[in-house]
Amino acid sequence: MGEGCRTVPLAGHVGFDSLPDQLVNRSVNHGFCFNILCVGETGLGKSTLMDTLFNTRFEGDPASHSQPGVQLKSSTYDLQESNVRLKLTIVGTVGFGDQINKEDSYKPIVEFIDTQFESYLQEELKIKRVLHSYHDSRIHACLYFIAPTGHSLKSLELVTMKKLDSKVNIIPIIAKSDAISKSELTKFKIKITSELVSNGVQIYQFPTDDESVAEINGTMNAHLPFAVIGSTEEMKIGNKMMKARQYPWGTVQVENETHCDFVKLREMLIRVNMEDLREQTHTRHYELYRLCKLEEMGFKDTDPDSKPFSLQETYEAKRNEFLGELQKKEEEMRQMFVQRVKEKEGELKEAEKELHEKFDRLKKLHQDEKKKVEDKKKLLDDEVNAFKQRKTAAELIQSQAQQAGGSQTLKRDKERKNSGFL
């Protein structure tokens, strides 16, 4: 109770003891959602186990081992049991562990989980929120499928779980556990638990703070990781039809707890702790993501003097900081623009100077060429005039010579005539 709060008795029935019933009715009418991430190498029976867990057949094509990278494939289904509706989302890691270089195989998974957190955070930060009808896609449980090698965890498995343990509830399971003997399986479980502890990997622990489930959850925590087998095939064993796998050496019953831990996984994941997984996702993993994101944005609970932060003051401070950075960038861009304009002006002036110099050189060259042409023209004119003068003189001499020849011919003719008369 808070300070100043008193406990007073009631004189009669009021009715608020029906609040749990109201809450149940509202939840049933609204429906529930649950999102499972299946991480593991191709061929470990992830899809088969999901079909077995929910007693149905989900659509899906078998994945090949030739994927160039890790791809996350999300499928959502509407299920109903009695009057309870469940929107189930199953996310598969297609191609996980199939590449030669597995160094970055975990990154697409981390990015996918962060993307779902970011979507929810953006919805929360909206002025007009619709969280009551928003489809929550945050991952509530991560089933990490471990290959039944019987030796130890691979480096890829340790690195991936270490990267995911602060973002999602990890439940490690040994897939296809009928591939190794009982004694090897027991040693393998101990080895896996030891390696997880020594490497600081935090897996999901079933809660023991609720007295109604403390005993069963405490017992089941000791059985982690669960060794499971999946099968959708039913066989008649005795007088009952049971899910089982048939081998030449015998039959493995999926729901027989002496054969595998499938029943334990179903009890813990669906029938006992589904709501706790949803709550842990919201109160622990999402809150951690939200805290980091808001701190990046400059929001804190207290200032350096341990006084409560005002959201308005924080917003104004961040806004002023942003405007200051914006003005600084604008000034830098302006200075850069001015500098580039000056550089361009200098380049243009230099180019203009070169053009003027080139023009002057061409003009002078043109004048020199013109003068040479004029000199040649004058010389040619002088030669033409001299030629004309010589031609005129020659014609004059020729004319005189012809006149002189004609006079002599007349004289000779006259002399002949005179001599004839005689």
Side-chain angles (χ1 to χ4, degrees):
M1 293 291 180
E3 293 183 4
C5 183
R6 295 183 303 148
T7 301
V8 296
L10 299 178
H13 182 261
V14 176
F16 57 78
D17 59 349
S18 66
L19 274 174
D21 296 331
Q22 296 176 36
L23 182 60
V24 169
N25 292 333
R26 170 177 276 187
S27 298
V28 168
N29 291 333
H30 184 264
F32 301 88
C33 73
F34 192 63
N35 307 317
I36 301 176
L37 171 65
C38 297
V39 181
E41 298 176 0
T42 305
L44 288 180
K46 298 186 291 294
S47 299
T48 303
L49 184 65
M50 290 298 102
D51 292 348
T52 312
L53 271 173
F54 291 95
N55 200 22
T56 186
R57 282 187 178 272
F58 297 113
E59 299 176 355
D61 298 324
S64 67
H65 291 269
S66 58
Q67 296 292 334
V70 180
Q71 297 178 350
L72 277 84
K73 183 179 179 181
S74 177
S75 301
T76 301
Y77 308 93
D78 287 319
L79 307 178
Q80 183 164 344
E81 188 175 37
S82 299
N83 64 334
V84 177
R85 292 178 292 109
L86 177 67
K87 187 181 288 291
L88 176 68
T89 299
I90 299 174
V91 182
T93 52
V94 182
F96 180 79
D98 290 342
Q99 295 75 38
I100 296 176
N101 183 4
K102 302 176 177 63
E103 184 179 356
D104 297 331
S105 294
Y106 68 89
K107 288 185 177 179
I109 304 174
V110 173
E111 290 172 0
F112 179 85
I113 295 172
D114 285 345
T115 300
Q116 311 318 309
F117 283 153
E118 183 64 27
S119 298
Y120 193 87
L121 178 60
Q122 291 302 320
E123 185 64 30
E124 266 194 341
L125 295 177
K126 286 182 179 178
I127 296 175
K128 186 177 181 180
R129 303 186 298 180
V130 286
L131 290 175
H132 64 281
S133 60
Y134 174 78
H135 174 52
D136 185 3
S137 60
R138 296 173 297 176
I139 300 299
H140 300 124
C142 170
L143 296 183
Y144 199 101
F145 289 69
I146 301 169
T149 60
H151 302 296
S152 60
L153 290 172
K154 300 175 183 177
S155 299
L156 172 64
E157 294 169 334
L158 284 171
V159 170
T160 303
M161 281 193 273
K162 185 63 179 174
K163 294 292 183 181
L164 296 179
D165 66 356
S166 63
K167 297 178 179 294
V168 71
N169 302 310
I170 299 176
I171 302 176
I173 58 177
I174 301 171
K176 296 185 175 181
S177 60
D178 54 342
I180 55 177
S181 65
K182 284 283 184 181
S183 59
E184 289 176 328
L185 189 58
T186 302
K187 293 178 182 178
F188 192 33
K189 282 189 173 187
I190 296 172
K191 182 70 174 176
I192 290 172
T193 304
S194 174
E195 289 185 346
L196 291 175
V197 172
S198 61
N199 286 277
V201 178
Q202 300 291 325
I203 63 173
Y204 174 72
Q205 294 292 315
F206 305 119
T208 56
D209 52 351
D210 186 350
E211 293 182 0
S212 62
V213 294
E215 184 178 352
I216 185 173
N217 279 348
T219 303
M220 291 303 168
N221 280 329
H223 283 84
L224 287 171
F226 293 134
V228 298
I229 302 166
S231 176
T232 55
E233 297 178 5
E234 291 192 347
M235 299 179 183
K236 190 172 183 180
I237 300 174
N239 296 324
K240 293 183 179 180
M241 295 297 293
M242 305 182 68
K243 289 184 173 65
R245 300 187 75 90
Q246 183 70 50
Y247 295 100
W249 44 264
T251 304
V252 178
Q253 299 172 27
V254 173
E255 296 179 306
N256 189 330
E257 293 193 55
T258 61
H259 290 188
C260 71
D261 296 331
F262 172 80
V263 173
K264 295 182 178 67
L265 173 63
R266 184 177 61 192
E267 290 287 325
M268 292 297 97
L269 179 67
I270 301 174
R271 299 182 179 178
V272 178
N273 297 302
M274 180 181 279
E275 183 56 33
D276 184 72
L277 287 163
R278 287 156 42 91
E279 184 180 338
Q280 284 292 319
T281 298
H282 183 77
T283 59
R284 180 186 169 197
H285 301 298
Y286 171 69
E287 283 299 321
L288 179 59
Y289 177 86
R290 179 177 175 274
L291 171 68
C292 295
K293 277 293 179 180
L294 292 180
E295 285 184 347
E296 286 178 10
M297 296 166 64
F299 296 100
K300 294 181 180 179
D301 289 334
T302 57
D303 60 15
D305 299 328
S306 298
K307 295 180 180 179
F309 248 117
S310 166
L311 184 63
Q312 180 67 26
E313 292 176 359
T314 304
Y315 170 77
E316 290 295 336
K318 202 67 181 177
R319 181 174 180 273
N320 292 334
E321 180 184 349
F322 173 76
L323 290 176
E325 292 178 357
L326 184 62
Q327 290 176 354
K328 183 179 178 182
K329 288 182 179 179
E330 287 179 351
E331 181 62 23
E332 290 175 355
M333 292 178 66
R334 192 185 69 80
Q335 293 291 343
M336 187 181 297
F337 176 75
V338 171
Q339 181 66 25
R340 288 186 178 180
V341 168
K342 289 182 178 179
E343 291 174 358
K344 200 67 179 177
E345 285 180 349
E347 292 175 2
L348 291 173
K349 287 181 179 179
E350 188 67 25
E352 185 181 10
K353 182 180 178 182
E354 291 177 359
L355 284 173
H356 279 302
E357 291 176 352
K358 186 177 182 180
F359 176 75
D360 292 340
R361 287 196 303 270
L362 291 174
K363 184 177 180 180
K364 186 175 183 303
L365 182 64
H366 174 71
Q367 290 174 349
D368 293 341
E369 290 293 330
K370 183 178 180 182
K371 186 173 182 305
K372 288 179 182 179
V373 170
E374 289 176 351
D375 292 342
K376 287 183 179 180
K377 182 175 180 297
K378 182 179 178 183
L379 181 62
L380 183 60
D381 290 341
D382 292 343
E383 290 178 355
V384 169
N385 292 331
F387 174 76
K388 286 180 178 180
Q389 290 176 0
R390 289 196 298 273
K391 181 180 178 182
T392 302
E395 289 176 349
L396 180 61
I397 293 171
Q398 185 178 3
S399 175
Q400 291 177 353
Q402 288 177 352
Q403 290 178 359
S407 299
Q408 291 178 0
T409 302
L410 289 173
K411 186 177 180 180
R412 283 196 297 271
D413 289 341
K414 190 182 284 187
E415 288 177 352
R416 281 195 200 100
K417 287 179 180 181
N418 291 331
S419 61
F421 287 123
L422 294 174

